[in-house]
Amino acid sequence: MLVTNHVLSGAVIGAAARRPLPAFLIGVASHFVLDAMPHWGQWDDDERFFRVAVADGLTGLAAMSLVTRGVLKGGQAGGSGSGRGRLAASVLAGMAGAALPDLDKPSDMLLGHQLWPDAVNRFHRAIQDEAPHRFFSHEVVAAAGFALTAAALIRRRMAR
């Protein structure tokens, strides 16, 4: 699954969990659940994977920034500033936890350093259900669903 979708699902988790630590831990667990579901992938070569991974990583970072900023700056109609801060912390923790397992890829490719133990890497690779024809039917649909759900939950929480 694209890291952007992990980030967006983490925003949903953070908005629902309401506290940073559970949001982070559930976000990490959700990463593996989503990677076990059918999604886009199976790269012809490392160069293509790298091009997609860089674009996706930057998109995921932008999504984290925009969602967090939206929580902190939004909600003029309701909710207190401190409530927005707590919500932003929970949402950010959910997004960070959901994206964390994929930090192994840039660490390995750019730094030559393996972040996670071999057992974690083997498990992470083994659960992938990837196919090259699933970009629109799985990744784009998932992104839209996660983004809309996160926006609705965040808006609801900010109105309280």
Side-chain angles (χ1 to χ4, degrees), residues 92-150:
L92 186 57
M95 292 187 295
L100 182 67
D102 275 348
L103 285 180
D104 65 328
K105 292 166 186 72
S107 176
D108 187 35
M109 291 181 82
L110 300 174
L111 306 174
H113 177 72
Q114 182 177 306
L115 280 183
W116 315 127
D118 286 335
V120 172
N121 291 331
R122 280 193 304 274
F123 172 75
H124 198 180
R125 278 191 304 273
I127 64 170
Q128 300 292 325
D129 184 0
E130 297 177 329
H133 64 279
R134 295 179 179 155
F135 181 74
F136 290 105
S137 64
H138 290 65
E139 298 291 341
V140 172
V141 169
F146 290 139
L148 291 171
T149 303

Side-chain angles (χ1 to χ4, degrees), residues 15 18 22 29 44 49 55 57-58 64 70 92 118 130 133 150:
R18 300 176 183 237
D44 300 331
F49 171 80
L58 293 172
M64 289 179 91
L92 186 57
D118 286 335
E130 297 177 329
H133 64 279

Side-chain angles (χ1 to χ4, degrees), residues 5-159:
N5 281 334
H6 289 297
V7 165
L8 294 171
S9 72
V12 171
I13 291 163
R18 300 176 183 237
R19 292 192 338 255
L21 183 59
F24 180 81
L25 296 174
I26 296 167
V28 171
S30 78
H31 183 99
F32 298 104
V33 171
L34 290 178
D35 274 357
M37 297 177 73
H39 60 281
W40 183 54
Q42 291 187 348
W43 311 102
D44 300 331
D45 55 49
D46 287 345
E47 184 178 325
R48 180 159 187 248
F49 171 80
F50 191 72
R51 281 196 316 269
V52 171
V54 168
D56 180 38
L58 293 172
T59 303
L61 283 172
M64 289 179 91
S65 175
L66 290 170
V67 170
T68 304
R69 185 175 190 275
V71 173
L72 290 172
K73 300 284 185 185
Q76 306 304 339
S80 68
S82 64
R84 281 194 303 273
R86 283 191 300 274
L87 176 59
S90 182
V91 170
L92 186 57
M95 292 187 295
L100 182 67
D102 275 348
L103 285 180
D104 65 328
K105 292 166 186 72
S107 176
D108 187 35
M109 291 181 82
L110 300 174
L111 306 174
H113 177 72
Q114 182 177 306
L115 280 183
W116 315 127
D118 286 335
V120 172
N121 291 331
R122 280 193 304 274
F123 172 75
H124 198 180
R125 278 191 304 273
I127 64 170
Q128 300 292 325
D129 184 0
E130 297 177 329
H133 64 279
R134 295 179 179 155
F135 181 74
F136 290 105
S137 64
H138 290 65
E139 298 291 341
V140 172
V141 169
F146 290 139
L148 291 171
T149 303
L153 284 173
I154 290 167
R155 177 178 223 137
R156 185 171 153 201
R157 291 269 321 272
M158 288 172 48

